[in-house]
Amino acid sequence: MAHLSARLLLLGLLLWASRVCSATAQDGCTFLGEEETSSFYQEGDVVLGGLFPLHYSPVSSVTSFQWEPQQTTYDFSARALRWMETMMFAVREINQRSDLLPHLTLGFHIRDSCDHVPVSLRGSLLLVNGQPEWGADSRGAGQGPGSDCAAVRRAVSPVIIGDAASGVSMAVLRTLGSFQIPLVSYFASCSCLSDQKQFPTFMRTMPSDAFQIRALARLVRYFHWTWVGVIGVESDYARFAIQLFLQESVHFGMCAAYVHFYPVVLTQHAVGQLVDTIQGSSSRVLLNFSGESELRSILRECLHRNITGLQLIASEAWATSKSLWGEFGDLLTGTLGFGIRKADVIPGLKDFLTRLGPSDRSQSAFLAEFWEETFNCRVNDSLNTHTHSISYLDREPCSGREVLGDVYTPYADVSQLRVSYNVYKAVYLIAHALQDMTNCVDGQGPFINGTCGDPKHVKPWQLLHYMKQVKFSTLGEEVSFDHNGDPIASYDLMNWQRGQDGSLRLVKVGFYDASLADGRDLAARSVCSESCPPGTRVARKKGEPVCCFDCIPCAEGEVSNQTDSLNCIRCSDVTWPNEARDHCVPKTIEFLSYQESMGVVLCVVSILGACASLSVLAVFVANRHTPIVRGNNMELSFLLLFFLSVCFLIGLLFIGEPSDWLCRIRYPAFGVSFALCISCLLAKTMVVLMAFRATLPGSDVMKWFGPAQQRASVVLCTAVQGLICLIWLLTRPPYTNLNTGHISSVIIIDCAMGSEVAFWCVLGYIGLLACMCFILAFLARKLPDNFNEAKFITFSMLIFFAVWITFIPVYVSTAGKYTVAVHVFAILASAFGLLVCIFAPKCYIVMLRPEKNSRKHMMLKG
């Protein structure tokens, strides 16, 4: 009955104010009461109202209603200013979008509620009725003095985003509920607000306390705490919350050591009684339902009495309130509490908040006050009219060179976007409701006769209908509401920890999700260090408890396949850790393959070289009766060409996956073939040189260098190499080797020499033959050109030396398939050097200058 009377009285006052306004339209509207111009305002087709506790009183007072209340001392909340700015940011963001309300512009009218019922009621009435703006104190366009009532009506807000406190929100709802004006709260959590019979126009982006209480009860059960002290401020919020907690506790076998309600006005006597109760109880777990302002007095008294060892459990009202840490960090270390869901980031918000500079402080009393409080200075001609606990006039003037990024302020701290995220979602809730209203097709609408709402002239009750039906997605979260206007509850379990620099670290140690089944809805953990995942090992921190450790990645070649492994296990020689280093995988096998480009190129070159040698041999056989072929040791030339083709084909033995028998063929075949080729050249050179020596009178040296002797010298020189290879094969032959040491993650399949001494003996013997051949060819360089090929042999030996001298350091410095490729390249390059330098001139004469292939030409002296 009292509520009905109050509503009728309010309606009468509003009707009377309307008649007064109509009667005085020609002279301008008259504002009854103290003029209030501090606000943020921006014009729009739809102006959203906002109520935020920018100021709060650290000392509560009781109003007697017998005279006008005295001016109260207020503290400034930079955190609440961030909430205000977040609302403005969201409005600006929506106005810039082309996919949401493209033909409608949103505005805002944001006022300070001072976390006080009378101030909040006054502000809400200003928002829904409109107020002319005197002066240039508001952000955006305002109305000047003398504005008529029609102008004032354009600033009416059909919906209000606010307030933060449950008690304040209930007072606003009871005042405005009769006019069906929707109120969307971003922080009011009292479960009593879910009663749609009492508060049919209420919605919120903040979960109901009913979910939080359920989460708190499960948290207490999780830690097996059965003896818990419960305290709360004398308010609807705390009473409903504690009542629900006690009901839930019964199901889990928990008992309340005490339940203590303390008054809103916390006198020293009231604080003393409360702390006596806490100190006299054997319970060390304390659950507190209050805001941070009431909690300060309690914590201060606990510090005064040196009370320690309390495990505090925070309600969401102060679970992430960093402002308490500076003074009460020692008491609050280890506190657990559920914080509302956090947005990791709201893109663009950080830049929007930190855009403020010295020039912005003159635009609004709110910004001027923020600047003064942040930098502890006084702005000249400041618009700040609030009284603070610190004497304002004692401050130094602001220099104008202050930089917001140089100081820490909760205003710019976007690491814990919880309430700010709720504000952001509240704006988007209204925007999507307006979009649904815009999309409505006339004749198919939800109202009488299928009519739709008009987004250009929004009626609050119509907007409320669309808001109740809305579902949308923002920042990756699906947002929806139940029949009570409550969102689906999701909380982060926060633990208050001290950082190395003494600052507060709010660490998420679990979560509660009301949408999950019982038993899975709460996930909690309390650790000094996170578990070390597979692929890492535990490394103890010196001087700290065993629960505190670092996680070190396993060293190269080691794995760990269990959580919190103390040691890593080394993989076998044929396996290697995977990328996560949690198990061993077979190593990659590598060898010079026909499937890769390098192997294909060497294979083609080997075949071309062999074909070229055999082609030259065919040409020489076809022209074996010509002087140039017969006159230059024809048999040795044929033998040399044949074994040059063999040398080219030996290159193919080095390509492909090696085996033991292939390794035993590769190197001895290579050594014997080249020894035979160089032996042929040596014999040819000796014959040429001795032939000219035999022309001297009385010389019979040629009888020692006939065809039989030439063949014998070739066989003898080759036999020495064959003997070296035979000894090599019989003692320590080459074999297949799995090389795992050069590249850790790769098995290189190559041929080990068996005996390095034997291998270098083979190369050394070839080098010895080449040196002898080079010396003899050099001695024969002045003989007539047409009678010998000494200079061609000299050139071929120079190429041979260059190739194999270069081969030695490259061979020693490479490994794996590249070593094999270097070997093949040396074989092919030296073979091509012999083929081209010795036989190209003869082929030229045989095929292109046949007139020079005559005995007459051979007998000419150069």
Side-chain angles (χ1 to χ4, degrees):
M1 191 69 183
H3 285 169
L4 179 60
S5 300
R7 290 174 180 173
L8 291 174
L9 177 60
L10 177 63
L11 181 60
L13 287 172
L14 290 174
L15 291 174
W16 174 81
S18 176
R19 284 195 292 271
V20 170
C21 184
S22 301
T24 61
Q26 294 179 347
D27 300 325
C29 286
T30 302
F31 181 72
L32 301 179
E34 183 183 350
E35 180 182 331
E36 175 60 65
T37 59
S38 297
S39 67
F40 288 133
Y41 180 76
Q42 177 179 295
E43 280 284 3
D45 298 322
V46 179
V47 176
L48 310 185
L51 288 174
F52 296 88
L54 187 63
H55 296 87
Y56 63 92
S57 175
V59 180
S60 302
S61 60
V62 177
T63 303
S64 66
F65 300 102
Q66 296 178 358
W67 50 78
E68 183 178 352
Q70 298 298 314
Q71 188 174 21
T72 305
T73 299
Y74 287 101
D75 282 349
F76 182 85
S77 172
R79 185 183 179 209
L81 180 61
R82 178 181 4 112
W83 303 344
M84 287 179 162
E85 292 277 348
T86 301
M87 178 175 171
M88 290 185 274
F89 170 79
V91 168
R92 188 190 73 160
E93 187 177 74
I94 292 168
N95 286 340
Q96 292 175 348
R97 290 179 58 166
S98 59
D99 60 332
L100 184 60
L101 301 179
H103 306 298
L104 201 68
T105 302
L106 295 183
F108 52 76
H109 189 179
I110 303 174
R111 308 199 72 88
D112 179 13
S113 70
C114 292
D115 197 26
H116 196 41
V117 170
V119 179
S120 186
L121 287 175
R122 184 167 180 269
S124 63
L125 290 172
L126 289 173
L127 293 175
V128 300
N129 286 287
Q131 177 200 6
E133 295 284 356
W134 291 284
D137 191 48
S138 61
R139 181 167 300 187
Q143 287 123 10
S147 300
D148 61 21
C149 288
V152 174
R153 299 301 299 177
R154 285 201 297 269
V156 168
S157 298
V159 59
I160 296 176
I161 295 176
D163 202 334
S166 296
V168 175
S169 297
M170 281 188 274
V172 173
L173 285 166
R174 289 192 172 108
T175 302
L176 301 182
S178 299
F179 307 102
Q180 295 186 304
I181 297 172
L183 184 72
V184 185
S185 179
Y186 47 85
F187 207 19
S189 61
C190 182
S191 59
C192 55
L193 289 167
S194 298
D195 187 347
Q196 288 291 291
K197 290 183 179 179
Q198 286 194 68
F199 310 111
T201 61
F202 180 72
M203 293 186 71
R204 54 183 161 191
T205 51
M206 174 76 186
S208 166
D209 271 342
F211 301 106
Q212 182 203 179
I213 299 307
R214 202 168 297 135
L216 288 170
R218 280 161 173 73
L219 177 67
V220 173
R221 179 189 64 172
Y222 179 88
F223 288 106
H224 304 288
W225 293 327
T226 58
W227 192 236
V228 180
V230 184
I231 63 174
V233 68
E234 192 66 76
S235 66
D236 289 341
Y237 159 71
R239 284 199 171 277
F240 275 95
I242 292 176
Q243 181 182 355
L244 286 173
F245 179 78
L246 296 177
Q247 291 172 358
E248 285 286 328
S249 300
V250 173
H251 303 304
F252 302 129
M254 292 178 289
C255 299
Y258 53 87
V259 177
H260 189 107
F261 289 96
Y262 47 88
V264 174
V265 182
L266 259 178
T267 63
Q268 186 59 42
H269 176 70
V271 173
Q273 282 187 325
L274 172 60
V275 176
D276 286 342
T277 303
I278 296 172
Q279 202 169 14
S281 173
S282 59
S283 172
R284 295 288 87 192
V285 180
L286 178 62
L287 174 58
N288 176 46
F289 291 94
S290 75
E292 60 181 85
S293 58
E294 295 90 357
L295 184 58
R296 286 180 184 275
S297 300
I298 302 169
L299 294 177
R300 196 170 289 116
E301 181 64 19
C302 288
L303 275 180
H304 177 70
R305 299 194 188 188
N306 196 26
I307 297 177
T308 59
L310 287 178
Q311 173 60 60
L312 293 176
I313 302 177
S315 63
E316 43 72 31
W318 63 277
T320 59
S321 182
K322 293 185 175 181
S323 62
L324 295 168
W325 180 260
E327 186 178 355
F328 309 110
D330 291 338
L331 275 175
L332 295 173
T333 300
T335 295
L336 289 170
F338 286 101
I340 52 181
R341 184 169 182 174
K342 181 182 77 167
D344 291 331
V345 64
I346 298 178
L349 178 61
K350 175 72 173 179
D351 293 336
F352 184 81
L353 294 173
T354 56
R355 78 198 185 285
L356 297 180
S359 60
D360 295 290
R361 64 195 186 190
S362 62
Q363 297 181 14
S364 165
F366 294 159
L367 296 181
E369 186 176 3
F370 166 66
W371 204 261
E372 291 169 343
E373 293 300 308
T374 301
F375 296 103
N376 194 27
C377 61
R378 175 168 45 86
V379 176
N380 292 332
D381 301 322
S382 174
L383 301 174
N384 179 11
T385 59
H386 281 91
T387 301
H388 295 272
S389 55
I390 299 175
S391 177
Y392 172 73
L393 296 176
D394 291 342
R395 294 174 175 175
E396 294 292 327
C398 298
S399 65
R401 295 187 298 272
E402 298 85 10
V403 179
L404 194 57
D406 291 345
V407 297
Y408 171 80
T409 169
Y411 166 79
D413 185 353
V414 294
S415 63
Q416 297 287 333
L417 293 177
R418 299 180 188 275
V419 182
S420 298
Y421 184 38
N422 282 355
V423 173
Y424 184 82
K425 288 189 288 187
V427 177
Y428 269 86
L429 162 64
I430 298 168
H432 281 279
L434 288 169
Q435 183 65 55
D436 291 344
M437 184 183 290
T438 304
N439 295 339
C440 180
V441 177
D442 200 26
Q444 302 177 13
F447 308 121
I448 299 175
N449 298 325
T451 56
C452 299
D454 182 2
K456 292 286 187 179
H457 302 88
V458 177
K459 295 180 179 178
W461 63 272
Q462 293 178 335
L463 177 60
L464 177 63
H465 171 84
Y466 285 103
M467 288 169 59
K468 294 281 189 180
Q469 311 301 319
V470 118
K471 291 182 180 179
F472 63 95
S473 176
T474 181
L475 302 182
E477 179 190 357
E478 295 295 328
V479 182
S480 60
F481 303 86
D482 61 18
H483 64 283
N484 293 322
D486 293 330
I488 303 301
S490 178
Y491 298 95
D492 293 334
L493 178 57
M494 308 305 296
N495 182 219
W496 294 43
Q497 298 180 10
R498 184 181 296 276
Q500 292 184 350
D501 59 353
S503 63
L504 170 63
R505 291 180 61 238
L506 286 174
V507 181
K508 179 181 176 181
V509 295
F511 67 88
Y512 178 82
D513 190 339
S515 65
L516 301 178
D518 285 348
R520 297 176 53 201
D521 48 2
L522 174 65
R525 53 195 170 87
S526 181
V527 294
C528 175
S529 299
E530 297 292 333
S531 293
C532 292
T536 63
R537 65 176 179 84
V538 171
R540 304 295 184 195
K541 290 184 177 180
K542 186 177 180 180
E544 295 192 23
V546 293
C547 299
C548 302
F549 48 81
D550 292 321
C551 297
I552 306 297
C554 288
E556 189 177 78
E558 296 182 345
V559 298
S560 65
N561 54 12
Q562 294 180 345
T563 302
D564 291 333
S565 293
L566 295 177
N567 297 293
C568 296
I569 304 170
R570 179 162 291 279
C571 292
S572 66
D573 289 341
V574 296
T575 59
W576 187 250
N578 62 342
E579 187 174 352
R581 298 191 180 186
D582 56 5
H583 67 277
C584 298
V585 295
K587 289 184 177 181
T588 304
I589 295 177
E590 182 181 278
F591 54 85
L592 185 60
S593 169
Y594 290 106
Q595 279 72 41
E596 57 183 302
S597 57
M598 185 166 56
V600 171
V601 170
L602 293 176
C603 179
V604 170
V605 173
S606 297
I607 294 173
L608 289 176
C611 291
S613 298
L614 293 175
S615 298
V616 173
L617 177 60
V619 170
F620 272 40
V621 170
N623 293 273
R624 63 186 178 276
H625 300 297
T626 61
I628 199 168
V629 177
R630 289 180 58 86
N632 284 280
N633 302 308
M634 181 178 66
E635 291 182 0
L636 291 179
S637 296
F638 289 173
L639 187 63
L640 176 60
L641 285 169
F642 175 76
F643 274 96
L644 277 177
S645 65
V646 172
C647 288
F648 281 117
L649 293 176
I650 285 174
L652 297 177
L653 297 178
F654 287 82
I655 305 173
E657 183 175 355
S659 60
D660 286 343
W661 68 267
L662 196 59
C663 291
R664 292 171 185 175
I665 293 175
R666 277 183 183 179
Y667 297 102
F670 151 73
V672 170
S673 298
F674 265 94
L676 194 148
C677 291
I678 303 299
S679 298
C680 290
L681 287 177
L682 181 62
K684 286 168 66 69
T685 307
M686 291 178 64
V687 169
V688 172
L689 186 62
M690 292 301 106
F692 281 92
R693 297 286 184 185
T695 59
L696 298 176
S699 175
D700 59 349
V701 71
M702 281 304 296
K703 69 179 182 180
W704 300 104
F705 291 94
Q709 286 81 4
Q710 294 174 28
R711 286 192 287 272
S713 65
V714 170
V715 171
L716 178 62
C717 291
T718 305
V720 174
Q721 184 74 296
L723 181 62
I724 295 173
C725 292
L726 181 63
I727 295 172
W728 186 7
L729 292 174
L730 291 177
T731 55
R732 295 176 62 189
Y735 59 89
T736 305
N737 177 51
L738 301 181
N739 187 344
T740 59
H742 184 71
I743 303 176
S744 301
S745 59
V746 175
I747 298 177
I748 301 171
I749 303 181
D750 57 10
C751 288
M753 296 304 175
S755 172
E756 292 286 341
V757 173
F759 173 71
W760 291 110
C761 284
V762 168
L763 286 184
Y765 183 72
I766 294 173
L768 176 64
L769 293 178
C771 287
M772 293 172 61
C773 186
F774 175 76
I775 292 170
L776 293 176
F778 181 78
L779 293 175
R781 70 189 187 282
K782 294 183 179 180
L783 298 178
D785 293 344
N786 293 342
F787 284 86
N788 76 92
E789 48 194 356
K791 69 177 180 180
F792 302 129
I793 293 175
T794 302
F795 289 144
S796 68
M797 288 298 100
L798 287 175
I799 293 174
F800 190 88
F801 285 139
V803 169
W804 287 99
I805 290 174
T806 305
F807 163 81
I808 293 172
V810 176
Y811 175 83
V812 171
S813 61
T814 55
K817 62 182 180 182
Y818 299 104
T819 301
V820 179
V822 167
H823 213 138
V824 176
F825 174 80
I827 292 172
L828 297 180
S830 54
F832 269 114
L834 297 176
L835 179 65
V836 173
C837 289
I838 296 173
F839 294 103
K842 296 180 180 181
C843 289
Y844 172 75
I845 292 174
V846 170
M847 300 180 68
L848 300 178
R849 301 295 298 273
E851 70 276 6
K852 293 187 176 182
N853 191 5
S854 64
R855 186 172 182 80
K856 179 181 177 180
H857 180 75
M858 293 282 291
M859 295 302 294
L860 292 175
K861 292 187 177 182

